[in-house]
Amino acid sequence: MSNATPLLAVESLSLERGGRELFQGLSFEVHAGHLFQVEGVNGAGKTSLMRILAGLSRYGYSGEVLRNAPLLYLGHQSGVKGLLSPRENLALHVSGQGSYTDAQIEPALAKVGLYGYEDVPSHALSAGQHRRVNLARLYLSDSPLWLLDEPFTAIDKAGVAQLEALLVTHVEAGGAVVMTSHQALQVRYEVRFLSLLEGVLL
Amino acid sequence: MSAPGPLAFCLRLLRRQLILAVRRPIEIGNPLLFFAMVVALFPLGLGPAPDQLASFAPGILWIIALLSNLLTSDAVFRSDFDDGSLEQLLLSPQPLYLSVLAYIAAHWLITGLLLALVSPLFALMLNLPAGAIGSLMASLLLGTAVLSLLGCIGAALTVGLKRGGMLISLLILPLYMPVLIFGSAAVKAAVIGAPAGPYLALLGAMLCLAIALAPLAIAAGLRISIDA
C-alpha cells in the first residue's frame, strides 16, 4: 500500500491563527481504503485543516499539500439554495463534477430520506433535511477522496448509521475519507485517528 | 456520470442564476423601479422646461443606469458566499474564468439588458429626441455589460465583508468613469446629429477588454475572499 501514490499527501503542515499555533509539522498520507477521523477539541483547527486540505485556504500556513485525486469537500455550510428544490439543487450544482439525470438524482434523494421532497422548495425543509440534500451528493459522487467537515451535524440517528455505512462502502471500493466529527464512528472498519497535535495515532 | 464540458457547465450556471432571479422578481424589479423614480424626480428638480430636460437627458439617463448597476452588483456573489455555494464553485474542476462569465452574463441579462430595453420609455419622459433613442439603447446595451463586468470585480473583492456597499463604490466608480463618458457622449452625438458610431466602437472595445480581463480579476478576488 505504501508504494502506491497517495490520494492526498501532507508534508510538515503548520498553521498559526491569531498568534496561537494550531498545529505544527503535521505529516500524513491518505491512501485508497483509508478512513481518517480528525480529532481535536473545539477551536483546535479541524475546520482550518479541512479547508487547507481542500485547497480553499491557500495562504497563512506553511508546509505542502499534494492532491492526486479529484476530491469532494462538504463543509459546515450546505450550499443548498432555498429557492431551488432538492432536485434542482443537485442538477444545477455549482461544483460541476457531473451531469446528473433525474434517474440518478431520484434514487440519491430517496437514499437520504428525501423521497417525496424532490420538488419542494428547499426553504420549506428543515436544517437536517438541508444537510441531507448536501449528503445526497455523496451518493452521486465519483470522486475517490471525500473531505467531510462534521457530516453528522443535524442528522438523526438512523441517518448517521446510514452515512457510516456509506463511508465504509466508499473506502472498501477504493476510496478514501477524511472527516471531522466529535462522535465515535460505529463501523466495522479500521478507523485511523489523526490528532492535530500528535499526528496520526496508531 | 462524467463531468459536463465547460460550455455545458456555463449554460447550467446561467440557467441556475436566471431561475434564482426569476424566483425573486423583486430583485429584477428594483433597478427598474429605481430608474423610473429618479427619472420622474429630475423634471421636478430641474423644472419641466422640455428643451432643458432634453439637453440633460443623455447624461441623466446614463448616470442613473450606472447607479442602478452599482446598487445591484453587490449582490451577485453574496448569497452564494453566505450559503457555501461559492466554496463549491471554487473547488470545481471547471475553469473559473468561464463560470464567472456565466454569473456576469446572468447579472447583465436581468439588469443591463432589461434597462436598455425599457430605456426608450424613460427617454421619452425626459424629452430625448426620437432620433437619439437608437444610440441610447445601443450604448446602454454595450455599456451596461462593461459595468456588470467591472461591478463584479468589486463584488468579488468585498463579498467577504458584512457591509461592502460603500467600499465597492469607492473601488469601482473610477473604473466606471470611461464608460459613463463615452456612453453619454454617444447619445449626445446622436442628439446633435453627429455620428455615434465612434463612441459605440470605443464602448465595444472596452467591452472586449473587460471580457478578457475582468474575469481574471474576479476569479482572483473570489479566491481571496473565500480564503479570508
Side-chain angles (χ1 to χ4, degrees):
Chain A
M1 196 62 111
S2 57
N3 299 330
T5 323
L7 299 178
L8 180 77
V10 174
E11 192 63 37
S12 58
L13 194 67
S14 304
L15 178 72
E16 206 183 87
R17 278 282 152 87
R20 213 160 54 86
E21 200 157 69
L22 292 176
F23 41 84
Q24 197 194 8
L26 201 60
S27 298
F28 60 94
E29 287 185 349
V30 181
H31 287 269
H34 283 184
L35 173 53
F36 268 99
Q37 183 172 3
V38 182
E39 295 203 313
V41 295
N42 291 135
K46 298 189 293 298
T47 294
S48 302
L49 174 70
M50 296 301 269
R51 290 177 65 88
I52 291 172
L53 295 185
L56 286 171
S57 292
R58 303 188 305 157
Y59 308 103
Y61 67 88
S62 64
E64 288 233 35
V65 180
L66 283 175
R67 297 173 202 90
N68 298 319
L71 60 85
L72 179 86
Y73 166 82
L74 299 190
H76 279 278
Q77 296 160 307
S78 63
V80 172
K81 277 267 175 273
L83 288 173
L84 301 176
S85 68
R87 186 200 303 276
E88 290 166 329
N89 263 303
L90 294 175
L92 301 175
H93 201 274
V94 292
S95 75
Q97 284 176 329
S99 303
Y100 311 122
T101 60
D102 278 353
Q104 292 166 321
I105 290 174
E106 278 168 15
L109 284 173
K111 278 179 196 149
V112 292
L114 289 174
Y115 177 76
Y117 291 95
E118 294 92 342
D119 296 310
V120 177
S122 297
H123 57 71
L125 301 177
S126 75
Q129 284 172 319
H130 264 238
R131 304 280 310 184
R132 281 167 176 266
V133 174
N134 207 20
L135 292 177
R137 289 185 57 212
L138 295 176
Y139 287 97
L140 294 169
S141 160
D142 51 8
S143 306
L145 179 61
W146 291 357
L147 302 175
L148 312 177
D149 199 357
E150 300 284 356
F152 299 139
T153 308
I155 302 291
D156 58 32
K157 276 182 193 160
V160 170
Q162 212 178 5
L163 185 53
E164 285 169 345
L166 174 65
L167 296 182
V168 172
T169 316
H170 178 65
V171 287
E172 280 177 348
V177 175
V178 180
M179 60 175 292
T180 66
S181 176
H182 293 288
Q183 302 179 31
L185 284 175
Q186 308 288 327
V187 292
R188 293 177 176 278
Y189 195 85
E190 183 198 354
V191 182
R192 287 152 207 267
F193 293 98
L194 177 71
S195 160
L196 290 180
L197 298 174
E198 296 154 57
V200 181
L201 305 178
L202 296 171
Chain B
M1 227 185 275
S2 61
L7 198 64
F9 180 61
C10 255
L11 291 176
R12 184 202 286 186
L13 281 182
L14 187 62
R15 204 167 136 236
R16 172 181 187 268
Q17 292 303 104
L18 291 179
I19 290 176
L20 285 171
V22 168
R23 292 196 184 158
R24 212 168 238 211
I26 187 114
E27 289 191 2
I28 301 180
N30 264 346
L32 295 177
L33 199 64
F34 174 78
F35 207 108
M37 279 191 319
V38 182
V39 166
L41 287 177
F42 265 98
L44 300 176
L46 289 175
D51 293 343
Q52 202 179 3
L53 276 180
S55 67
F56 284 131
I60 293 174
L61 289 166
W62 252 97
I63 290 173
I64 307 172
L66 186 148
L67 290 179
S68 73
N69 188 284
L70 197 62
L71 284 179
T72 52
S73 58
D74 179 46
V76 177
F77 300 110
R78 175 76 55 197
S79 84
D80 275 3
F81 179 84
D82 288 342
D83 67 17
S85 303
L86 205 55
E87 289 178 354
Q88 297 293 333
L89 181 72
L90 293 191
L91 290 177
S92 158
Q94 306 284 347
L96 190 54
Y97 183 96
L98 294 175
S99 309
V100 159
L101 269 183
Y103 273 75
I104 300 164
H107 178 249
W108 177 72
L109 285 174
I110 57 176
T111 58
L113 178 68
L114 281 184
L115 210 64
L117 290 181
V118 299
S119 63
L121 181 69
F122 298 128
L124 290 178
M125 286 169 73
L126 290 177
N127 196 31
L128 188 77
I133 286 182
S135 306
L136 175 71
M137 283 182 79
S139 70
L140 280 178
L141 278 176
L142 289 169
T144 50
V146 185
L147 296 182
S148 286
L149 282 154
L150 295 174
C152 283
I153 299 179
L157 283 169
T158 57
V159 72
L161 308 174
K162 281 273 173 286
R163 299 239 171 267
M166 199 61 219
L167 190 59
I168 201 173
S169 316
L170 282 173
L171 284 171
I172 292 308
L173 268 179
L175 296 173
Y176 275 4
M177 292 302 130
V179 186
L180 175 64
I181 291 168
F182 289 104
S184 56
V187 187
K188 275 182 211 147
V191 169
I192 59 170
Y199 298 107
L200 294 178
L202 275 168
L203 281 178
M206 287 182 207
L207 179 58
C208 293
L209 194 67
I211 287 178
L213 296 180
L216 298 175
I218 295 166
L222 288 177
R223 288 200 193 280
I224 294 169
S225 291
I226 279 291
D227 204 339

